[in-house]
Amino acid sequence: MPLFKRVYDWIDVRIGARELVKKELTGYLLPRNINEWYSLGSVLLVIFAMQVVTGMLLLVYYVPDADKAFKSVTYIMNELPYGWLMRLCHAVGSNMMVAVLFMHMISTLMMGSYKGPRELNWLTGFTLFAIVQGISLTGYLLPWSQLSFWATTVATNSVSAIPLIGQYLVEFLRGGKMVGPPTLGRFFALHVAVIPVIIALLIGAHLFVLKRTGISSPPFGGDEPVRHWPGDSYRYQSHPGGIPFFPNFALQDLTSIAIYFAVFFGVVFFGPDLPFTPDAFVPADPFKTPAHIKPEWYFLANYQILKIFPSELLGLTVQAAAMTFVALLPFIDRSPERHPLKRPLFLVCSIGGILLWVGLTVWGHYS
Ligand code: HEM
């Protein structure tokens, strides 16, 4: 320990490490009634870091060329030592990220923490949610399997329903009339370089805004007054008499991360086929359309909406309207009340919306 203390003292003299630890960790106070749901943001940070690390390792052997991509993924899975582990962690991790994102969104919805002054937390978060779907979509094409090829064909095709610019947009996305080698090139660049940087910047913005507003106090189970909006001037929400982030809440974060890893590795080791369908194990063939091509589970509701509406344009418009509604929710739902049971209209609409999404997903799966 003396060596550790000497190194710590050395750093402390130079950058004020003790002061930083006091300000950001042991002296950073959170509401006494903070709950488990507030640890999902940290779980998401860990998932993103895991995706970056496993993605970088896959990049060492993956070849972004239409003739070699499928073979390189097969090599990673079957021959490269622990290649299967990296690939499964990356594929399962992407699904888990979307699942945890949904949970984080639902918890901030239910506790009303999207309301003023936290509109920017919500907006940066919502943009993250949309961009994470973009990184999943671009990653789906990279193995260049039948599933990749045809799911991308279907997804990019739906854009053609947009009036006037639709067809141009599809060709721009695909780099040609059909999905082909140029599509792989641009999706690869988006997936490994462009979108990860955008996500990192957005996470930075999300955390910056959180640091400036201060964390909300949960609307239940506490003696601290819940702060209502509107306010007339900027005020950081501090929590005098609250619990320190370190060690108290850091322990909660670690517990949630451990539970996450238990579920995550449970799927990686005991349900490795869950993220794949049989078409994922067949190389892409532009001349052979598979009988049932379905997107990933979190796009099934969107897929089903496009199927049930008489025109694709109408289906796209309904989805765009629903997304815009959710994105602008803090500006639409302006009542200061944050307790879910004291917001019956909100509760009925949000539970109805979630059930509708689940129903459409199940319908999309079996249709
Ligand atoms: C990669 C994606 C994301 C990461 C890494 C992330 C991370 C975090 C972290 C660490 C916190 C603070 C602790 C907590 O409440 O969990 C937080 C808070 C928050 N997040 Fe996210 N988040 C992400 C996506 C989202 C999404 C999709 C939304 C909603 C559309 C969202 C909305 C919020 C809100 C409103 C808060 C403020 C909570 C409060 O002060 O009570 N976040 N986020």
Side-chain angles (χ1 to χ4, degrees):
M1 267 323 185
L3 177 65
F4 174 76
K5 189 177 173 305
R6 273 169 58 193
V7 174
Y8 192 31
D9 287 344
W10 190 90
I11 297 175
D12 186 35
V13 171
R14 278 151 189 91
I15 60 163
R18 284 198 171 83
E19 185 199 273
L20 205 64
V21 165
K22 186 158 180 9
K23 187 163 164 255
E24 302 296 336
L25 300 174
T26 50
Y28 173 36
L29 298 183
L30 303 173
R32 293 194 75 80
N33 58 331
I34 195 164
N35 55 44
E36 300 77 9
W37 297 99
Y38 281 75
S39 57
L40 289 176
S42 304
V43 176
L44 280 167
L45 287 175
V46 170
I47 303 180
F48 180 63
M50 287 278 291
Q51 289 305 97
V52 172
V53 173
T54 51
M56 281 177 174
L57 290 172
L58 288 174
L59 260 183
V60 178
Y61 285 91
Y62 172 76
V63 187
D65 177 303
D67 291 329
K68 300 187 184 130
F70 188 80
K71 277 197 206 106
S72 69
V73 174
T74 312
Y75 175 79
I76 291 172
M77 286 299 276
N78 297 341
E79 285 168 64
L80 186 71
Y82 297 105
W84 60 272
L85 184 60
M86 287 311 114
R87 179 168 189 222
L88 288 180
C89 282
H90 200 72
V92 174
S94 72
N95 283 278
M96 295 291 274
M97 184 159 188
V98 178
V100 179
L101 267 175
F102 276 128
M103 288 164 68
H104 181 54
M105 266 176 96
I106 291 173
S107 79
T108 55
L109 265 179
M110 290 299 161
M111 290 190 276
S113 36
Y114 59 89
K115 296 191 172 196
R118 294 187 177 74
E119 296 93 336
L120 293 175
N121 305 47
W122 179 259
L123 285 176
T124 48
F126 187 84
T127 317
L128 268 166
F129 174 68
I131 297 276
V132 165
Q133 301 202 346
I135 205 166
S136 306
L137 202 77
T138 49
Y140 218 45
L141 181 66
L142 303 190
W144 206 248
S145 63
Q146 273 293 69
L147 180 66
S148 316
F149 185 91
W150 290 101
T152 307
T153 300
V154 175
T156 46
N157 197 41
S158 58
V159 179
S160 67
I162 300 174
L164 300 175
I165 53 161
Q167 199 50 43
Y168 168 78
L169 221 55
V170 176
E171 284 183 31
F172 176 72
L173 279 173
R174 291 179 177 171
K177 290 221 177 304
M178 312 271 290
V179 172
T183 325
L184 183 59
R186 48 193 66 203
F187 274 37
F188 176 71
L190 285 171
H191 187 77
V192 307
V194 182
I195 307 183
V197 172
I198 298 179
I199 293 185
L201 290 174
L202 277 168
I203 291 181
H206 195 61
L207 298 185
F208 170 78
V209 173
L210 178 84
K211 268 314 243 181
R212 297 303 297 162
T213 54
I215 203 125
S216 64
S217 45
F220 23 67
D223 40 20
E224 206 182 290
V226 173
R227 188 178 168 200
H228 288 317
W229 192 251
D232 37 18
S233 60
Y234 167 72
R235 190 158 57 90
Y236 173 76
Q237 183 165 10
S238 59
H239 303 281
I243 57 160
F245 172 72
F246 187 87
N248 298 40
F249 200 67
L251 213 59
Q252 172 62 61
D253 275 348
L254 278 180
T255 309
S256 302
I257 292 166
I259 294 172
Y260 166 76
F261 274 129
V263 177
F264 169 74
F265 284 118
V267 178
V268 168
F269 293 123
F270 299 107
D273 285 341
L274 270 181
F276 307 109
T277 65
D279 288 316
F281 303 103
V282 181
D285 183 349
F287 301 107
K288 213 185 274 169
T289 317
H292 304 287
I293 206 78
K294 292 269 169 75
E296 284 181 287
W297 60 271
Y298 44 85
F299 286 129
L300 282 172
N302 308 66
Y303 162 86
Q304 191 57 29
I305 290 177
L306 287 182
K307 272 176 62 174
I308 50 183
F309 278 97
S311 88
E312 277 210 327
L313 178 61
L314 196 59
L316 281 184
T317 312
V318 168
Q319 291 185 40
M323 291 286 274
T324 313
F325 179 80
V326 177
L328 298 181
L329 190 63
F331 305 97
I332 298 165
D333 172 12
R334 297 175 67 85
S335 100
E337 183 54 62
R338 290 187 31 221
H339 195 297
L341 296 180
K342 294 181 188 151
R343 299 186 283 150
L345 179 65
F346 161 84
L347 205 61
V348 169
C349 292
S350 53
I351 292 179
I354 294 168
L355 289 179
L356 184 66
W357 182 85
V358 172
L360 284 165
T361 302
V362 174
W363 191 4
H365 179 74
Y366 288 105
S367 69

